[in-house]
Amino acid sequence: MLGPTAHTDSFTRDALPPAEQWPEFRLDGFDYPDHLNAGVELTDAMVTKGFGDHIALIGNGRQRTYKELADWTNRLAHALVSDLGVKPGNRVLIRSANNPAMVACWLAATKAGAVVVNTMPMLRAAELGKYVETAQIQFALCDTRLMDEMAACAEQCDSLERVVGFDGTSNHDAELDRLALEKPVSFDAVKTGRDDVALLGFTSGSTGAPKATMHFHRDLLIIADGYAREVLQVAPQDIFVGSPPLAFTFGLGGLAIFPLRFGATATLLEQATPPKMIEIIEKYRATVCFTAPTAYRVMLAAMEEGADLSSLRAAVSAGETLPKPVYEEWMAKTGKPMLDGIGATEMLHIFISNRFDDHRPACTGKPVRGYDAKVVDDAGRDVPDGTVGRLAVRGPTGCRYLNDSRQSGYVADGWNITGDSFVRDADGYFHFAARNDDMIVSAGYNIAGPEVEAALLSHEAVAECAVIGAPDPERGHIVQAHVVLTAGYDRGPDLAKVLQDHVKATIAPYKYPRDIVFAESLPKTQTGKIQRFRLR
């Protein structure tokens, strides 16, 4: 039974899947009042608890205390409500790189009772348009440096009523900033229900058609009060650093929710390359890092050259499988375990993880507090330990797609079927085997093969193509495209470069095929379906 709502725009509550298609939610130990606003809990409530003078955010040359963050987000919330006309339940898209201004906009919109959709700066207008149409987004807040694609999207989308720029550089020189500077520092936040949708996290899945995962205000706190408290043991003196975009729920949790929930500090990098993360770790003595094994390999090499990363007490690895050699080398150099874990956008964050005092190489660990996990066959029956099967999970968070028939494919008998193949050993530890679908995981990014194929096929030189993930020692996998050319085009490195640039200009650049294989034909079934497994 859903609790009370403050949403005057009931779109998201109306778009929840039918109750019989929900997973079972196990909420014992996660008790919150009927009315809960996550934006308030992470700012004003922290000031009330005595953290006002603690540093909350570091980024773009500025440090901001919890009191400054509370005041800033309250001013922004006033502007959203009084100047833009945002009403509780309206959807607000935020387009930005990782910086304090993006966090402030997210918190302000949450305080105003909006449903936020955070997006990456690499997305193009057509990709943004899919989000806008799916969620019927009415407002967009965009870093002024990224306005071109957002403006192009707005021209194509009737539901998008207003696009407003903010200054991501900390100069406060943009329309939203100027509106906010005139506002008071106190704001009567909307008394949202704990079961009001606060966040829509988009995931493409293997089909490339975006799915919006729906997360309540209580869910945003559950991942902190569960994983961050139990596994990471976050304390106010912690300083966080990491590479995942705030647009990913992995990044939003690890670089915003977790530190702010416990009075800690988040450092935010717009370009979170391994060298820049190393610089931040050394400069601020960061203690908790979230990134993919690819970056940890670079850090290990940097330590050989004299980099001092000794302040790190927690190195969290997710996004792709953590290779045993990386785990073992990290242990040898630091004496501390690398915490491998697995999460999903549908589940909001990590639900199986290693612990500081309970960890093994080439192992994902055991369920986080509040979660159950098992391995099942295609019929949903438990398989014996040591047998590869489908991972099924249930706990305090779970899958709720927005108006999407794929809900019934993700949830079965109250369990979330994550799309991952796992093995559980006799001691109850879970070991990753593979993805169930054709999703390509490259350097921590999920890339849907069909979306890359569509981009390639929009070029006149491409007659047919098939995209697969090819093993790569640095990135885990890379996108590899097998291309059949249209008559009149000559294969070779020059054309490969043209096609790669075309994909970069059509969809987010990180999705481009790093390897192009020209072929005379593609293997197919008798019905004409491409046999990608044969290409692999």
Side-chain angles (χ1 to χ4, degrees):
M1 178 70 71
L2 288 171
T5 180
H7 285 180
T8 55
D9 179 345
S10 64
F11 174 82
T12 51
R13 185 160 282 203
D14 295 342
L16 287 164
E20 63 271 16
Q21 292 184 9
W22 284 34
E24 178 183 341
F25 287 94
R26 305 172 72 81
L27 295 167
D28 289 348
F30 296 98
D31 302 311
Y32 304 100
D34 286 348
H35 293 94
L36 181 75
N37 188 301
V40 173
E41 293 300 316
L42 299 175
T43 55
D44 303 80
M46 299 307 296
V47 175
T48 301
K49 293 175 183 177
F51 292 99
D53 292 333
H54 284 228
I55 301 298
L57 301 177
I58 298 174
N60 282 349
R62 293 281 299 271
Q63 295 189 16
R64 298 180 188 274
T65 66
Y66 276 85
K67 179 63 167 67
E68 289 172 326
L69 181 60
D71 292 351
W72 185 15
T73 54
N74 286 336
R75 289 180 188 271
L76 286 168
H78 273 294
L80 296 180
V81 173
S82 61
D83 295 301
L84 273 63
V86 173
K87 294 179 173 56
N90 286 168
R91 274 75 61 214
V92 175
L93 181 147
I94 302 176
R95 173 173 168 80
S96 176
N98 285 13
N99 56 51
M102 181 182 188
V103 173
C105 286
W106 162 62
L107 290 166
T110 303
K111 287 182 175 183
V115 179
V116 180
V117 179
N118 292 314
T119 64
M120 289 192 301
M122 289 184 284
L123 296 182
R124 305 298 191 191
E127 295 164 307
L128 292 167
K130 291 178 182 178
Y131 290 9
V132 171
E133 291 168 3
T134 299
Q136 291 296 290
I137 294 170
Q138 299 115 312
F139 301 93
L141 312 180
C142 182
D143 188 319
T144 51
R145 297 168 293 173
L146 301 168
M147 193 62 85
D148 288 351
E149 294 288 340
M150 194 71 249
C153 169
E155 290 178 2
Q156 305 162 9
C157 299
D158 293 336
S159 69
L160 194 54
E161 301 171 11
R162 185 86 182 267
V163 176
V164 180
F166 66 87
D167 189 344
T169 69
S170 299
N171 291 326
H172 299 294
D173 186 23
E175 181 181 2
L176 183 61
D177 303 272
R178 289 189 287 270
L179 291 171
L181 285 173
E182 300 175 355
K183 301 296 188 288
V185 297
S186 60
F187 177 73
D188 187 11
V190 173
K191 290 181 172 55
T192 42
R194 66 186 177 198
D195 299 331
D196 274 333
V197 177
L199 181 75
L200 296 179
F202 272 87
T203 178
S204 62
S206 61
T207 65
K211 295 171 286 190
T213 64
M214 310 174 76
H215 303 291
F216 296 166
H217 282 262
R218 64 170 157 90
D219 298 331
L220 302 186
L221 301 185
I222 282 171
I223 61 173
D225 296 343
Y227 171 80
R229 188 188 301 274
E230 183 229 348
V231 176
L232 295 183
Q233 301 168 22
V234 181
Q237 60 267 29
D238 277 317
I239 298 173
F240 284 66
V241 67
S243 63
L246 291 166
F248 292 176
T249 57
F250 178 51
L252 188 68
L255 297 177
I257 296 173
F258 295 170
L260 295 179
R261 181 62 167 165
F262 299 101
T265 302
T267 63
L268 299 169
L269 287 164
E270 294 193 346
Q271 300 293 329
T273 61
K276 289 188 176 180
M277 283 194 290
I278 291 167
E279 180 183 337
I280 289 293
I281 293 166
E282 291 187 316
K283 180 176 181 179
Y284 294 106
R285 307 303 292 160
T287 59
V288 181
C289 182
F290 279 81
T291 192
T294 310
Y296 285 123
R297 292 190 189 102
V298 178
M299 291 183 187
L300 285 165
M303 281 190 266
E304 288 286 335
E305 300 296 322
D308 180 8
L309 307 185
S310 60
S311 62
L312 284 182
R313 66 171 189 83
V316 179
S317 175
E320 65 183 40
T321 306
L322 175 63
K324 182 179 179 181
V326 177
Y327 167 93
E328 291 179 335
E329 188 177 352
W330 189 268
M331 279 286 294
K333 277 192 167 62
T334 69
K336 304 165 190 172
M338 190 171 284
L339 298 182
D340 195 12
I342 184 170
T345 307
E346 288 84 354
M347 304 295 292
L348 190 56
H349 216 272
I350 292 172
F351 50 81
I352 295 177
S353 178
N354 282 281
R355 271 73 164 178
F356 293 120
D357 58 354
D358 188 10
H359 50 89
R360 297 182 179 186
C363 174
T364 312
K366 291 184 176 181
V368 172
R369 182 177 74 86
Y371 292 91
D372 293 329
K374 62 180 182 177
V375 181
V376 300
D377 61 18
D378 289 343
R381 298 173 297 228
D382 291 18
V383 300
D385 288 341
T387 305
V388 176
R390 305 167 75 197
L391 182 65
V393 184
R394 65 184 180 187
T397 63
C399 179
R400 293 172 296 245
Y401 288 138
L402 184 148
N403 282 336
D404 201 305
S405 61
R406 289 170 286 188
Q407 175 75 19
S408 59
Y410 199 94
V411 177
D413 297 322
W415 292 79
N416 300 274
I417 310 299
T418 67
D420 301 285
S421 295
F422 264 78
V423 175
R424 188 181 68 183
D425 65 26
D427 296 324
Y429 293 87
F430 287 81
H431 302 259
F432 178 80
R435 283 289 295 173
N436 294 342
D437 55 25
D438 287 328
M439 179 65 69
I440 301 163
V441 181
S442 180
Y445 286 94
N446 288 341
I447 302 169
E451 188 179 23
V452 184
E453 291 170 1
L456 282 166
L457 288 167
S458 67
H459 194 284
E460 59 185 9
V462 178
E464 286 185 311
C465 67
V467 166
I468 62 170
D472 178 79
E474 293 299 323
R475 307 180 72 84
H477 286 82
I478 59 169
V479 177
Q480 183 183 75
H482 293 251
V483 174
V484 177
L485 293 175
T486 305
Y489 284 87
D490 296 323
R491 64 178 67 187
D494 290 344
L495 182 56
K497 176 71 162 52
V498 168
L499 295 178
Q500 289 171 327
D501 290 343
H502 173 73
V503 172
K504 290 180 184 178
T506 305
I507 57 178
Y510 71 87
K511 301 175 183 177
Y512 86 97
R514 292 175 181 269
D515 184 31
I516 291 183
V517 179
F518 293 107
E520 295 296 333
S521 62
L522 299 176
K524 297 175 184 175
T525 65
Q526 291 184 339
T527 58
K529 185 176 181 180
I530 296 173
Q531 296 174 310
R532 289 175 180 80
F533 70 91
R534 289 179 59 187
L535 296 176
R536 296 191 193 97

